[in-house]
Amino acid sequence: MISADDYVIDLIQNEQLVPPETVEAAKEYVRSQGVPEDKVDTETLTLLVDKGYTTWAAITAVLAQQFDMEVAEMEDVRPTPEALEKMGRELAERYNVLPLQLEGGQMLAVTADPLDTDMMDELARLLGMSVSFRLAPPDDIRAAIKSAYGDDGLPQSDAMKALFGENGTGVNVPGTLGGNASESEDAPIIKYVNLLITEAIRRRASDIHMEPLEKRFRVRYRIDGVLQEVENPPKRLQASIIARLKLMAEVSLAEKRIPQDGRIQIQVSGKDVDLRVSVLPTVYGESIVMRILDKEGLRLGLPELGFFSDDQATFQKIITGADGIFLVTGPTGSGKSTTLYSALNYINQPDRKIITVEDPVEYQMPGINQVQVRREVGMTFSAALRSMLRQAPNIIMIGEIRDLETAEIAVNASLTGHMVFSTLHTNDAPSAVSRLVDIGVKPFLVSASLRGVLAQRLVRRICPDCTESYNPTEKELISIGMTVGDLSNSNFQKGRGCSKCHNTGYRGRRGVFEIFMVNEEIQEMIYRNVSLVDLRRKVRELGMRTMREDGIRKIAAGITSVEEVLSTTVEVE
């Protein structure tokens, strides 16, 4: 099937924008740089523009003629506020589309790619209306989006002054809101909270932390696993902001002595987003952490988790088994739930019945029966599991095996023809065996039921928009057990820092994995209850890669950095 960029290259040759020999020379140069074949056309097009053989404006003009579309004069366009609000910055940047106006239930917008019909259909679905397009060069659209929506980042000093007054004191009108602020501060508080949540989602944050300190009210986003502080609101508005969030989360405003948990459901830029809210009393006030559960973020294929092809094949073999237990292990925040949801999404077929029991249900998945644990009414993990087995499922997912009762039901389910997925908190994959035995499961039952264990951590991925090659130092090579001779087969990369990654050099995360497969030899060792040291030694002999070794492979492939792997994984002898 011809690619969009291949089509454009053929078009500019046919229209005599670039001579065919120049195009072929550019393609050969791109291939000589080791670019994958499926990326050659894209890189060739970029090279021809960068070297001045053609321009994006000229390409846009021939595309407009070919598709009978109008070219937008970007200097003159003035997007309406209604159109900007309807699409939202996140969608505009994701698809590089500038909304112009709404008219008669239809949106007029500007795109650089008239061939991307999937994007056009997805936009129409998300916006709930048809969209007609004009064309413009991609860089011009990016600049116009930035101008229309304002500069990157959570609006800082100017916006804070606009919301709360010149010195953060707000307006001085008698009355109270949530205990401390004036009634006329109601609107600024609502705007600030909405802005805070919207910006966190736009910057791909996983958590929002609001922490009362002695003299300030600190606000931080956790982005790609790292906390980043943003401008703090005035300390005097702490109580008002907390009250607003507690109201949205539907927890008691009057209760300030004990922890509370709630949930906020909102829609941002056409996406449904849930926030799991935890309120914890501290010395200087109530601390709030909001975990952002982006339902669209779970639509991952297995390669997007970070698997190499060999590990992915092993993973698929385990999760498509007929029965047994498959465990994902790691500390809190290591991506266990994402991996299990992605596995369920992969095996979710009309001929299979899948039931999950979770505390809480983080993501609602179509075609899967999900059960919420409610201890206050007796709906515990074990009670839910007993009832689930009477529903005749093929596959069961348990949020976490926490005690002997849950573990025994899971084992019994696996031995009666069910495939059971769950999580454990262990440091590596082989430790899952000793953890189950420590809980109280008999070794012979672990041996008979366990099919495999995946241990994982998350490392930050080098930003694809500012990545560049570099030669590692000798110290870096020694730290990961490599030599100068290994560099010929490696592609060390680092991020320069750009607006897309907020100058961190990283954007997104990928997993590093350790896959422990249970074969007959391992079953016999588990049955004999051998020591963890002996078990780990045997699986290493059988070819299991540790998380550190998988991380080194990802360093050599240019996916992550030496610092990330060393800070996230441990060396195993």
Side-chain angles (χ1 to χ4, degrees), residues 340-364:
L340 280 183
Y341 278 118
S342 298
L344 291 178
N345 189 51
Y346 177 78
I347 61 177
N348 186 15
Q349 301 294 332
D351 62 343
R352 293 172 178 165
K353 179 162 185 174
I354 303 174
I355 304 181
T356 74
V357 53
E358 306 168 60
D359 182 22
V361 173
E362 295 186 1
Y363 301 95
Q364 295 168 7

Side-chain angles (χ1 to χ4, degrees), residues 5 38 40 48 73 99 157 199 230 237 372 386-387 473 569:
D5 292 319
D38 62 338
V40 167
L48 291 171
E73 298 297 329
S157 303
E199 181 63 17
V230 298
L237 299 180
Q372 168 74 55
R386 289 194 193 92
S387 298
T473 65
T569 63

Side-chain angles (χ1 to χ4, degrees), residues 164 168-186 189 212 214 217 234-244 253 256 284-286:
F164 301 128
T169 56
V171 280
N172 298 313
V173 179
T176 61
L177 170 73
N180 257 356
S182 65
E183 287 181 1
S184 56
E185 287 171 345
D186 189 358
I189 295 296
E214 183 179 6
F217 186 35
K235 173 71 174 176
R236 69 180 295 273
L237 299 180
Q238 172 182 309
S240 303
I241 293 169
I242 290 174
R244 171 63 185 168
L253 289 159
K256 299 180 181 180
Y284 297 111
E286 290 173 293

Side-chain angles (χ1 to χ4, degrees), residues 241-262:
I241 293 169
I242 290 174
R244 171 63 185 168
L245 287 168
K246 290 174 71 173
L247 187 68
M248 293 172 69
E250 297 181 351
V251 299
S252 172
L253 289 159
E255 184 56 74
K256 299 180 181 180
R257 300 164 298 169
I258 60 174
Q260 297 184 82
D261 294 311

Side-chain angles (χ1 to χ4, degrees), residues 252-311:
S252 172
L253 289 159
E255 184 56 74
K256 299 180 181 180
R257 300 164 298 169
I258 60 174
Q260 297 184 82
D261 294 311
R263 196 163 192 152
I264 298 173
Q265 294 180 306
I266 57 172
Q267 193 172 74
V268 177
S269 300
K271 294 197 308 181
D272 291 324
V273 179
D274 284 359
L275 290 93
R276 205 167 72 199
V277 182
S278 170
V279 184
L280 180 70
T282 70
V283 174
Y284 297 111
E286 290 173 293
S287 172
I288 291 184
V289 175
M290 291 177 278
R291 173 112 182 260
I292 299 171
L293 306 174
D294 181 357
K295 296 179 181 180
E296 291 191 7
L298 249 272
R299 294 176 184 173
L300 299 173
L302 298 184
E304 283 73 30
L305 294 176
F307 286 114
F308 284 120
S309 57
D310 53 350
D311 283 344

